[in-house]
Amino acid sequence: MAMAWATKLFFIFLLSIFTIDPISSHKQHPLDPLSPEELNLTQTIVKDSFPSSNNTTLTFHYVGLDEPDKPFLLSWLSKPTNKPPPRRALAITRFNKQTHEFIIDLANRSIISNHVYAGYGYPTLGIDEQTEAIQLPLTYDPFIGSIRKRGLNLSAIVCSSFTVGWFGRVRNRRVVKLQCFHMNDTVNLYLLPIEGIQIIVDLEEMKIVEYNDSFKVPVPNSEGTDYRLSKQKPPFGPRINRAAIMQPDGPGFHIDGHTIRWVNWVFHLSFDARVGPMISLASIYDSEKHKYRSVLYRGHISELFVPYQDPTEDYYFKTFFDCGEFGFGLSAASLVPLADCPNNAVFMDGYYAGQNGIPVKVSNVFCIFERHAGDIMWRHTEFGIPDVSITEARPEVSLVVRMVATIGNYDHILDWEFKPSGSINIQVGLSGILGVKAATYTHSDQINEDVYGTLLADNTIGLHHDHFLTYRLDVDIDGVDNSFIKHNLITKTVTDNTTARKSYWTVVSETAKTESEAKIRLGLKPAELVIVNPNKKTKPGNSYGYRLIPGPEAHSLLLEDDYPQIRGAFTKYNVWVTPYNKSEKWAGGRYVDQSHGQDTLAVWSLRNREIDNKDIVLWYVIGIHHVPCQEDFPVMPTLSSGFELRPTNFFERSAVLKVIPPKPVIWPNYSASP
């Protein structure tokens, strides 16, 4: 019996690690990401548009689907037998130190538009150019001299590239700053910074254009910083027992190309080089109305702003916009079965255009799995009926789509979780290695100045910083025309003598008419935030709606005229609502590297457009203030935050009342020792 059970477990494991090929045997959907063939075609068309004699300077910095106009796509969805919207690509390139924007008609193999961008800011950094740049110091004589002066081993040096930001100075060249680290008996390089060396590299000249060495403090000790299991020494921590998710009836979801069906949900999943996972056309089946009803037209992370709080010369520039400067998709990690995802996960690959325009495959970029966490969907025990005891309970099972983006020292775990109740739970997990600087201190009692962080170990300061993740959510609550309502919770005073109560709270609703009325800094006053379809009502007369349930609240603490905050002004509020605009999808602007904050969500909303009973977009900013602690060293346990979209008067009654629970599984006998 034990052998048969083990064989069954192994067979299920083999099934679980097979990768779904998203471009095999399915009809292409208008929102599918560009296939490798389409990426190759885009590269060929763009390359052929430049003089062949000198197109060696041509580099690709973003290639993605130029998504169809929303009305066109919705019209096609209503009549899918009609001709689908045309397939088009958006390509952002650099050629002879100019930024070119191309719109490519893939069917006709032609260029629709070719625009040269002349404003502030540059496109997303390329992986190849960063890789080349970080090698330059290793053959640069002044740097070699600096390393020798410190008594370090040049062969143990690894450098990393960082964007320079904008601080009132216009550089007129694409540059990055390099910081170097000394890997002394560890692979945890980010905890071993070499202080005092400032290096600036021109990416298009590919040379060091500024260098300065102001030797300050030695590199911290590497002892105990290696995170590899093979390098750990006793005493060890607790052992985690193995676990496997058994699904005797098979997986509960079905993948057709990029369309995923699960329980009462159907949605489209695609991969983008800049923002990673994109969820589109999410609809939920209403068993009473016998049809699928729209919830989310298109949703994705839009920007991640990470300002470090050390204003000194060596660190002030560390104010990053990870999506726009580095690309979440470009930085996506291949997920590891049984580590990043459970044994019942199914994996999908993704493709992006490399710096030369040639497709790059990211294996296992997504995992999709049913989560059986032991939570309760709903329950009730009835003790109130004499001589009767009733208990009804249903287990919570949800569907998760996951991707991990590793940008430098930080790993970002992006989860989209769908529930049978109609909720969408959006979570981000932060892990990896802290950003630190070296110092002379070995005990906190020695510190009598602001060190902009926490002393974590000898000579190691973990720097204070923020994470502001902005999500763009094009909600379509049972239709395109929606409104944003604040149900303010107001305390009322009882003025008559008919009751012993002196106060109560009630709801005073306020519909946001314009963008300015929808901006919210959470935590200032209690309110329920709901997106409704004012044109459709439930039987009791309530508007169909979805509620935004925020997570922990945090706001930017920087001054509004501080240069990083000018660029990241979209973090001033946690909630924004704008009218739908196809071009307004990246909160930090199209060209974020060295931008001046001239093209951001905060700037777009200054037009104060009407949003009542319109096709609207909800923007939500997750804010996390991170004060490092010793438990974050040398590797950081995952810190999570998120928010939820939850149906509110969307259904006539509970969507999970009639959920059929799974059949019980007869487990083999086992004994557990204490």
Side-chain angles (χ1 to χ4, degrees):
M1 178 66 182
M3 180 63 70
W5 188 259
T7 302
K8 187 173 183 180
L9 271 174
F10 180 69
F11 178 70
I12 292 175
F13 165 72
L14 289 178
L15 288 176
S16 72
I17 63 174
F18 286 150
T19 297
I20 297 295
D21 182 356
I23 52 175
S24 64
S25 72
H26 85 281
K27 189 175 181 180
Q28 194 173 46
H29 190 283
L31 292 180
D32 281 357
L34 298 183
S35 67
E37 294 78 14
E38 290 173 321
L39 291 171
N40 273 321
L41 177 59
T42 300
Q43 187 241 29
T44 299
I45 293 172
V46 171
K47 193 173 181 180
D48 289 348
S49 71
F50 291 108
S52 59
S53 59
N54 63 348
N55 66 11
T56 55
T57 66
L58 173 65
T59 53
F60 290 78
H61 295 266
Y62 175 80
V63 181
L65 177 71
D66 180 49
E67 63 184 75
D69 292 332
K70 185 175 179 180
F72 195 171
L73 181 62
L74 293 178
S75 176
W76 175 79
L77 287 171
S78 66
K79 294 183 179 179
T81 55
N82 291 348
K83 185 178 180 180
R87 295 281 290 177
R88 294 178 177 174
L90 167 64
I92 298 175
T93 68
R94 290 285 291 176
F95 180 74
N96 285 347
K97 299 185 179 181
Q98 288 186 318
T99 299
H100 291 255
E101 303 173 359
F102 289 88
I103 301 294
I104 308 294
D105 186 321
L106 296 170
N108 295 320
R109 299 171 177 255
S110 61
I111 296 174
I112 296 175
S113 66
N114 176 7
H115 169 67
V116 176
Y117 174 72
Y120 295 118
Y122 297 102
T124 305
L125 300 181
I127 293 176
D128 293 345
E129 62 186 353
Q130 293 180 78
T131 301
E132 187 175 354
I134 63 177
Q135 299 299 318
L136 294 177
L138 304 181
T139 56
Y140 187 64
D141 288 340
F143 180 78
I144 295 172
S146 296
I147 295 305
R148 288 174 177 167
K149 180 174 66 174
R150 289 164 169 78
L152 303 177
N153 182 359
L154 186 65
S155 64
I157 302 299
V158 176
C159 300
S160 186
S161 58
F162 299 87
T163 49
V164 299
W166 169 68
F167 297 89
R169 170 189 173 190
V170 180
R171 292 181 179 271
N172 290 323
R173 55 168 59 180
R174 292 183 64 239
V175 297
V176 292
K177 284 193 176 184
L178 303 186
Q179 185 173 13
C180 299
F181 308 86
H182 187 245
M183 290 199 305
N184 180 21
D185 300 324
T186 182
V187 295
N188 201 340
L189 64 137
Y190 293 107
L191 294 183
L192 305 176
I194 302 171
E195 299 290 351
I197 298 177
Q198 298 181 38
I199 309 170
I200 294 184
V201 172
D202 185 313
L203 291 174
E204 286 167 325
E205 298 290 339
M206 199 50 68
K207 66 180 182 182
I208 295 174
V209 293
E210 293 182 32
Y211 186 84
N212 183 55
D213 184 357
S214 55
F215 178 68
K216 296 178 180 178
V217 295
V219 176
N221 191 305
S222 64
E223 184 178 358
T225 62
D226 204 313
Y227 47 78
R228 292 173 292 180
L229 180 61
S230 61
K231 297 297 181 179
Q232 305 310 308
K233 299 176 182 179
F236 293 103
R239 178 182 294 275
I240 299 174
N241 286 345
R242 291 177 294 173
I245 296 173
M246 302 299 301
Q247 295 186 288
D249 301 321
F253 59 91
H254 175 72
I255 301 177
D256 180 15
H258 292 269
T259 298
I260 299 175
R261 296 179 181 275
W262 174 77
V263 185
N264 48 357
W265 281 101
V266 60
F267 60 92
H268 184 276
L269 170 65
S270 62
F271 173 76
D272 179 76
R274 180 157 174 163
V275 302
M278 301 187 77
I279 304 292
S280 303
L281 305 176
S283 298
I284 188 166
Y285 188 75
D286 188 325
S287 58
E288 294 200 359
K289 295 183 181 295
H290 307 291
K291 66 176 183 179
Y292 280 95
R293 301 170 63 195
S294 63
V295 176
L296 182 67
Y297 177 76
R298 205 140 165 85
H300 56 84
I301 190 171
S302 181
E303 190 54 85
L304 169 55
F305 177 36
V306 187
Y308 281 80
Q309 303 302 314
D310 186 338
T312 61
E313 183 63 25
D314 288 340
Y315 285 91
Y316 76 90
F317 64 92
K318 290 194 171 185
T319 54
F320 306 122
F321 294 79
D322 284 345
C323 289
E325 293 176 338
F326 299 99
F328 259 35
L330 294 177
S331 307
S334 292
L335 299 173
V336 180
L338 304 183
D340 290 316
C341 309
N343 70 292
N344 63 325
V346 171
F347 295 83
M348 293 175 65
D349 299 333
Y351 296 86
Y352 64 82
Q355 200 171 317
N356 57 5
I358 296 175
V360 176
K361 179 180 179 180
V362 185
S363 300
N364 294 3
V365 72
F366 295 140
C367 70
I368 303 100
F369 59 92
E370 289 174 289
R371 174 177 280 160
H372 300 255
D375 295 331
I376 298 171
M377 178 189 293
W378 67 265
R379 79 172 316 282
H380 180 62
T381 295
E382 183 56 69
F383 290 132
I385 303 174
D387 302 322
V388 174
S389 179
I390 300 172
T391 294
E392 288 282 333
R394 303 290 183 270
E396 179 77 279
V397 180
S398 58
L399 184 73
V400 177
V401 173
R402 174 171 295 165
M403 193 196 89
V404 172
T406 301
I407 301 178
N409 53 305
Y410 258 106
D411 295 64
H412 308 82
I413 306 157
L414 304 179
D415 279 3
W416 289 77
E417 182 180 16
F418 296 83
K419 298 186 177 184
S421 62
S423 286
I424 304 175
N425 192 18
I426 300 164
Q427 292 286 318
V428 60
L430 306 174
S431 189
I433 313 299
L434 288 174
V436 306
K437 72 173 181 179
T440 58
Y441 306 109
T442 58
H443 195 280
S444 60
D445 289 347
Q446 301 168 345
I447 302 174
N448 56 10
E449 61 178 339
D450 195 341
V451 294
Y452 317 109
T454 304
L455 183 67
L456 303 174
D458 287 355
N459 313 117
T460 304
I461 302 289
L463 295 173
H464 299 150
H465 59 283
D466 296 319
H467 303 264
F468 292 106
L469 299 102
T470 302
Y471 280 81
R472 179 183 186 270
L473 305 162
D474 183 355
V475 286
D476 280 357
I477 306 303
D478 205 47
V480 172
D481 293 332
N482 289 176
S483 296
F484 180 64
I485 297 180
K486 291 178 274 188
H487 292 309
N488 299 303
L489 308 186
I490 305 297
T491 300
K492 294 282 189 177
T493 301
V494 178
T495 58
D496 56 35
N497 297 319
T498 60
T499 176
R501 289 280 294 274
K502 294 184 178 181
S503 63
Y504 66 99
W505 63 260
T506 190
V507 174
V508 177
S509 298
E510 174 187 356
T511 300
K513 302 294 185 181
T514 62
E515 291 175 272
S516 64
E517 294 178 4
K519 299 174 185 177
I520 296 175
R521 288 170 63 89
L522 294 171
L524 301 183
K525 62 180 183 179
E528 296 272 315
L529 307 177
V530 185
I531 306 96
V532 304
N533 186 327
N535 311 294
K536 298 180 180 180
K537 307 285 186 180
T538 61
K539 292 177 182 177
N542 299 307
S543 295
Y544 297 161
Y546 257 73
R547 184 177 10 151
L548 171 65
I549 301 181
E553 298 135 5
H555 316 115
S556 178
L557 302 177
L558 300 179
L559 297 177
E560 288 189 29
D561 63 350
D562 195 357
Y563 292 107
Q565 187 59 30
I566 292 172
R567 300 173 67 211
F570 51 89
T571 64
K572 181 179 179 180
Y573 299 97
N574 302 99
V575 178
W576 307 70
V577 180
T578 62
Y580 168 80
N581 186 319
K582 174 184 170 181
S583 66
E584 296 176 0
K585 57 183 178 180
W586 296 319
R590 178 166 290 193
Y591 300 104
V592 180
D593 181 29
Q594 297 186 53
S595 70
H596 294 189
Q598 75 283 355
D599 175 33
T600 70
L601 169 60
V603 173
W604 308 331
S605 68
L606 289 176
R607 287 173 281 179
N608 203 22
R609 295 162 290 186
E610 294 184 0
I611 58 171
D612 184 23
N613 204 7
K614 304 286 186 183
D615 187 0
I616 59 176
V617 175
L618 173 70
W619 305 77
Y620 182 80
V621 180
I622 298 173
I624 301 173
H625 299 305
H626 193 170
V627 178
C629 62
Q630 288 181 244
E631 287 79 4
D632 294 335
F633 180 92
V635 64
M636 178 182 159
T638 300
L639 175 66
S640 297
S641 188
F643 61 99
E644 183 180 350
L645 295 175
R646 186 182 181 94
T648 300
N649 301 318
F650 186 81
F651 299 104
E652 293 293 341
R653 64 190 67 212
S654 170
V656 293
L657 171 66
K658 299 181 181 180
V659 165
I660 302 173
K663 296 178 180 178
V665 176
I666 306 302
W667 296 94
N669 293 327
Y670 69 95
S671 60
S673 58

